[in-house]
Amino acid sequence: MTTSIGKSRRTLMMSACSLGVLLTGPAFAQDAQQKEDETVVLSTIKVSVTKRETTLQDVAASASVVSSEQAELLGLSDVESLSNVIPNLNFGEHDGASFVTIRGVGASVEIGIGEPSVATYVDGVFLPRQTMGFLSQSDLDRIEVIRGPQGTLYGRNATGGAINFVSKAPSETFDGGFRIGAGSFEAFNVGGHISGPISETVRYRLSAEHETNDGYVDNLLNGDTIGGRDLFNIRGALQIDLSSKTVVDAFIQYQESDGETAWQQSLTPSLSPLIPPGFQESTNSNEIFSDQGYASLQETLIGSVAITHAFSDSLSLKSTTSYIDHTSDATFDGDSTDYGLVDVVGFQRPSESWSQEFILSGTNDRLDWLVGAFYFSEEFQAVLPAVLPNGLPAAAAPPSGLPPTTVNFQELNEDTTSYALFTDVEFALTDRLSLLAGARMNWEEKDFSQSLGAIIPVAGFFGASDIPSSREDEEFLPKVGLSFDVNENFKTYVQYQKGLKSGGQNLGVLSTQYEPELIDAYEAGFRSTWAGGDVIVNGAAFFYDYQDYQVTDLPGGTATVVQNSDAEITGLEVEFIGQLTDQFRLSGGVTVLDSEYTDFASLDLANPFVGPQSLVGGQLNRAPEFTFNANAQYTFPIADGLVLSGDVYHSDDVVLRYFATENDTQEAYTVANVSAVLNLKGGNLQLKAFGRNLGDEEIKRVVIFSPLQGAYLGNFAPGSTWGVEAVVRF
């Protein structure tokens, strides 16, 4: 009955040491290759969000960059921290899956079938599943974030935008480093990198990290903690000059994360008569009473080969071939009480995918263009077994109830094949006015096989097995716009673009499918530089018209149903950054959002007697009306430089479940962080310290309602944390 995706596993055994402190923070810091006394002109930062190299300020779209140098300075360590520094980006986590929302576009919960709304890439490799969102990138050059639908260049599942993790390339001279650190919750990390030439035409880079922590969620029943992990990550890269015109960039990366990262707790008291009197539970943040063990294992293997051939200075061809083999297996207490109502045991979400992209690009005096072809295939599986340790009485499961250890079983197998042809051009109509245009034709086929039923002790499986279904979709995704250079330091643009998120098959409801979501996006913005390029101020206003917006509903048990609705989002964002003096740097951003459903009704199982409710006019999930972030850094002339940094992030109320009741909402909150870096021995030795969430704010990251338990469930972000680290470069 249960099938499994064939896996090609490799054990990578290498000895390496690395410097790479993880990512985050707007990237406008000094390049490591430049002398310390040189000033970086912020407007010259290189990015590749348009799939060809350009400068940040030349991108006619809302884009931000995050550098590894800024990440080290701020002491940040995960993708979640991006939400504190990237305008209109919101992060959540549930059952071992991550949720990234940009400008209110994204998913809210994931119970096995979700695909991301923000396309995430690692060195050009597309990560197709939300369980891949915790892939660690410890040796980064930068992170690029482009906001708004990116249907032309990135295709399916980029309705919110795209995030590119760009690793440091192999170096032409020997380079290495080592780091070791500790922090809250018995955290310990060690890592390093080594890089250099093998010959005149071959260069290498090897990095690795090992990170452990005990977790921050207290199980009051037995005194254990959960939420921790034991992570190992290793990456090897080669850069080969086949000729003066042809370069090969290849890498392989493997990560294993073992711990208890899938969990949920009671947010409100359980009111179900299925739970007998005298049970124990806690609704305090990061506290549970659990009678079930926790285990999470995620393994990811990524391989990629990119070949770039320059026919001339103005014409090049790039081929990128990539492969991902990913497994995710989670076990956790589904009710988070000391009574065995429901346990999730062996929640599996493996994915194996291949992709191939060809891009031919060129430039001349007036035209900057590219044309491309993309192929993607994936075998994905969701297996969700929910064990009922004490069974269910007849009143809850007529006619005769369910005996103890009955397993409510669901399985979905999904094979996806997607093809696309695309183009993106910028044509200079005059010296100051340019036409922006693009188009992508996307074809997609999905084949499903679904099983649903119950495994009853002694009696066996009762239900439906291997029920097939399929769907085919095709969509034309255009882009058109204008950019106008008011002067060499001030660019304006207007643009229309269409985005697409793939449709699919619901889990736990036989043969019901949901439609692809489409978004028509209109945006007008400006990008400006001041003070000789040391100050940047960028802004954008936008309007989104959503058709068939995918909203996740949990109708009972472990079933997951995606409903299609219509919605609109209007927004404004402004971000700024300035190297105001040689010692003082200031950055920040302000965002305003107005989101609403224009056609949507749903039944709230927390209040079922009122029947289906019209949610027209209601606020979208993870789309706070107002956010603000600011960061200040000052360098003191102590030793070889003492850099102190402080940042603050404020968010208005965040709706986490679309009925937007008090229980469905995270109220407005403010988070403050500090960090310090002391440079010694010319910067080759660094001592670091940081503190996050200094006010110990309680921040809900996800909310669901369990009708079986009669309670709201979810989880919280960690409270106050701290860390110290020593970095040696050689």
Side-chain angles (χ1 to χ4, degrees):
M1 176 179 53
T2 301
T3 62
S4 62
I5 294 174
K7 297 295 171 187
S8 126
R9 284 285 162 221
R10 305 178 191 178
T11 301
L12 303 177
M13 301 186 64
M14 302 178 186
S15 170
C17 36
S18 176
L19 158 89
V21 177
L22 272 135
L23 46 117
T24 327
F28 306 100
Q30 179 169 328
D31 189 281
Q33 303 299 317
Q34 293 181 311
K35 296 179 181 179
E36 291 183 2
D37 59 353
E38 290 180 333
T39 300
V40 173
V41 178
L42 300 178
S43 59
T44 63
I45 298 165
K46 298 294 183 181
V47 296
S48 55
V49 291
T50 59
K51 296 202 173 182
R52 58 270 217 197
E53 188 172 279
T54 185
T55 63
L56 178 67
Q57 290 304 94
D58 283 336
V59 176
S62 296
S64 301
V65 187
V66 174
S67 73
S68 60
E69 291 81 12
Q70 280 298 102
E72 293 178 28
L73 173 62
L74 298 176
L76 307 175
S77 62
D78 52 37
V79 182
E80 180 178 3
S81 302
L82 282 173
S83 61
N84 291 338
V85 293
I86 300 297
N88 268 322
L89 189 149
N90 187 280
F91 177 88
E93 176 184 356
H94 185 226
D95 290 351
S98 64
F99 309 99
V100 179
T101 299
I102 295 180
R103 293 177 171 176
V105 179
S108 56
V109 296
E110 202 274 332
I111 311 291
I113 60 174
E115 295 186 55
S117 301
V118 175
T120 303
Y121 288 78
V122 173
D123 295 315
V125 180
F126 173 59
L127 306 182
R129 293 291 160 177
Q130 292 170 298
T131 50
M132 301 176 187
F134 301 102
L135 191 67
S136 178
Q137 301 298 317
S138 64
D139 195 24
L140 282 169
D141 178 71
R142 65 188 185 273
I143 307 169
E144 304 171 344
V145 180
I146 185 165
R147 295 180 290 277
Q150 303 300 317
T152 299
L153 289 174
Y154 294 96
R156 62 192 292 275
N157 299 350
T159 47
I163 301 176
N164 299 318
F165 293 88
V166 183
S167 302
K168 290 180 179 177
S171 55
E172 296 183 354
T173 59
F174 178 78
D175 175 37
F178 176 83
R179 66 179 172 86
I180 185 169
S184 303
F185 316 119
E186 304 297 324
F188 174 78
N189 65 83
V190 61
H193 82 271
I194 189 169
S195 180
I198 297 176
S199 67
E200 290 185 356
T201 59
V202 180
R203 296 163 293 280
Y204 75 93
R205 191 173 192 96
L206 179 64
S207 62
E209 67 172 326
H210 182 214
E211 172 190 326
T212 64
N213 70 79
D214 287 347
Y216 61 94
V217 182
D218 295 322
N219 186 352
L220 303 180
L221 186 65
N222 56 21
D224 291 344
T225 58
I226 63 172
R229 68 176 181 174
D230 186 337
L231 179 147
F232 173 73
N233 184 295
I234 188 167
R235 182 183 189 275
L238 284 177
Q239 189 174 77
I240 305 170
D241 298 331
L242 295 182
S243 69
S244 61
K245 295 181 178 297
T246 306
V247 178
V248 176
D249 287 284
F251 79 89
I252 186 168
Q253 180 173 348
Y254 173 77
Q255 175 172 301
E256 178 179 315
S257 179
D258 191 3
E260 315 90 20
T261 54
W263 65 278
Q264 60 192 28
Q265 71 161 86
S266 300
L267 302 179
T268 61
S270 298
L271 302 177
S272 172
L274 300 176
I275 303 179
F279 73 95
Q280 298 182 90
E281 69 175 338
S282 174
T283 59
N284 297 326
S285 64
N286 298 325
E287 290 184 357
I288 61 172
F289 283 90
S290 176
D291 61 332
Q292 164 66 34
Y294 289 77
S296 300
L297 177 63
Q298 292 186 341
E299 294 182 87
T300 305
L301 175 70
I302 302 179
S304 175
V305 177
I307 304 173
T308 304
H309 178 75
F311 296 100
S312 66
D313 291 341
S314 59
L315 182 65
S316 66
L317 175 65
K318 182 175 183 179
S319 166
T320 303
T321 307
S322 59
Y323 170 77
I324 299 180
D325 189 6
H326 170 79
T327 62
S328 176
D329 193 330
T331 293
F332 57 93
D333 190 333
D335 54 86
S336 299
T337 72
D338 66 350
Y339 177 75
L341 181 64
V342 59
D343 295 329
V344 176
V345 180
F347 182 12
Q348 300 176 43
R349 288 161 287 182
S351 166
E352 186 176 25
S353 63
W354 287 91
S355 65
Q356 172 66 54
E357 184 175 63
F358 295 102
I359 293 180
L360 180 67
S361 60
T363 61
N364 59 33
D365 290 342
R366 290 191 172 274
L367 183 64
D368 182 350
W369 60 273
L370 67 78
V371 294
F374 181 74
Y375 165 80
F376 171 80
S377 68
E378 181 194 26
E379 294 181 17
F380 171 72
Q381 184 183 52
V383 179
L384 180 52
V387 180
L388 305 172
N390 292 289
L392 292 176
S400 58
L402 296 173
T405 70
T406 293
V407 179
N408 181 18
F409 181 83
Q410 301 174 69
E411 178 187 321
L412 177 67
N413 294 279
E414 177 179 304
D415 292 345
T416 300
T417 304
S418 180
Y419 309 85
L421 298 173
F422 60 94
T423 183
D424 191 85
V425 301
E426 182 173 346
F427 180 71
L429 300 172
T430 70
D431 291 341
R432 298 164 66 183
L433 180 65
S434 296
L435 172 68
L436 311 172
R440 188 182 190 102
M441 192 66 209
N442 194 86
W443 297 271
E444 182 167 283
E445 300 175 1
K446 287 190 174 184
D447 293 317
F448 309 100
S449 175
Q450 189 174 15
S451 299
L452 173 65
I455 303 174
I456 300 176
V458 181
F461 177 76
F462 290 85
S465 297
D466 302 322
I467 305 301
S469 60
S470 63
R471 66 175 301 121
E472 295 183 8
D473 296 291
E474 62 179 59
E475 194 66 41
F476 177 67
L477 305 173
K479 180 181 82 171
V480 63
L482 293 170
S483 70
F484 181 71
D485 296 339
V486 178
N487 54 47
E488 63 179 5
N489 296 317
F490 199 97
K491 174 194 286 286
T492 62
Y493 64 90
V494 294
Q495 184 172 270
Y496 161 79
Q497 186 162 198
K498 196 177 194 71
L500 166 71
K501 181 177 178 181
S502 180
Q505 169 74 52
N506 286 309
L507 180 66
V509 182
L510 287 175
S511 302
T512 64
Q513 298 183 2
Y514 53 92
E515 295 300 311
E517 69 178 29
L518 296 171
I519 186 169
D520 292 300
Y522 306 83
E523 181 172 326
F526 70 90
R527 308 188 71 82
S528 66
T529 60
W530 309 83
D534 283 338
V535 176
I536 288 176
V537 181
N538 298 332
F542 51 90
F543 172 74
Y544 293 169
D545 185 9
Y546 246 131
Q547 303 94 48
D548 291 323
Y549 173 48
Q550 295 172 8
V551 183
T552 305
D553 185 28
L554 305 178
T558 53
T560 303
V561 174
V562 173
Q563 299 175 260
N564 290 112
S565 65
D566 294 338
E568 292 180 352
I569 303 174
T570 304
L572 175 69
E573 60 193 24
V574 177
E575 58 182 330
F576 62 90
I577 183 164
Q579 192 70 42
L580 303 183
T581 70
D582 290 343
Q583 296 80 31
F584 184 52
R585 177 182 179 276
L586 184 67
S587 63
V590 177
T591 72
V592 178
L593 281 181
D594 180 18
S595 63
E596 64 175 358
Y597 296 101
T598 57
D599 183 11
F600 184 36
S602 187
L603 176 67
D604 184 2
L605 292 179
N607 189 20
F609 301 107
V610 301
Q613 301 178 39
S614 172
L615 297 173
V616 172
Q619 184 176 325
L620 271 64
N621 288 359
R622 303 188 186 277
E625 293 181 349
F626 174 79
T627 67
F628 169 79
N629 69 279
N631 171 264
Q633 300 171 14
Y634 194 86
T635 303
F636 293 88
I638 299 174
D640 292 311
L642 171 63
V643 184
L644 299 183
S645 173
D647 61 87
V648 62
Y649 173 79
H650 174 79
S651 172
D652 206 346
D653 293 353
V654 182
V655 174
L656 298 174
R657 184 172 170 268
Y658 44 82
F659 294 100
T661 67
E662 180 180 353
N663 290 322
D664 298 323
T665 304
Q666 165 60 49
E667 63 181 17
Y669 64 94
T670 302
V671 174
N673 310 305
V674 295
S675 64
V677 176
L678 178 63
N679 291 286
L680 302 168
K681 298 184 180 300
N684 289 326
L685 172 62
Q686 289 184 325
L687 302 178
K688 305 178 181 181
F690 67 87
R692 296 187 217 158
N693 191 5
L694 299 182
D696 202 25
E697 288 272 4
E698 296 184 356
I699 304 170
K700 286 187 289 190
R701 294 190 297 195
V702 70
V703 174
I704 64 174
F705 181 78
S706 168
L708 188 67
Q709 190 170 343
Y712 288 86
L713 306 176
N715 61 48
F716 290 83
S720 296
T721 58
W722 60 271
V724 295
E725 189 170 59
V727 178
V728 179
R729 297 183 175 94
F730 50 83

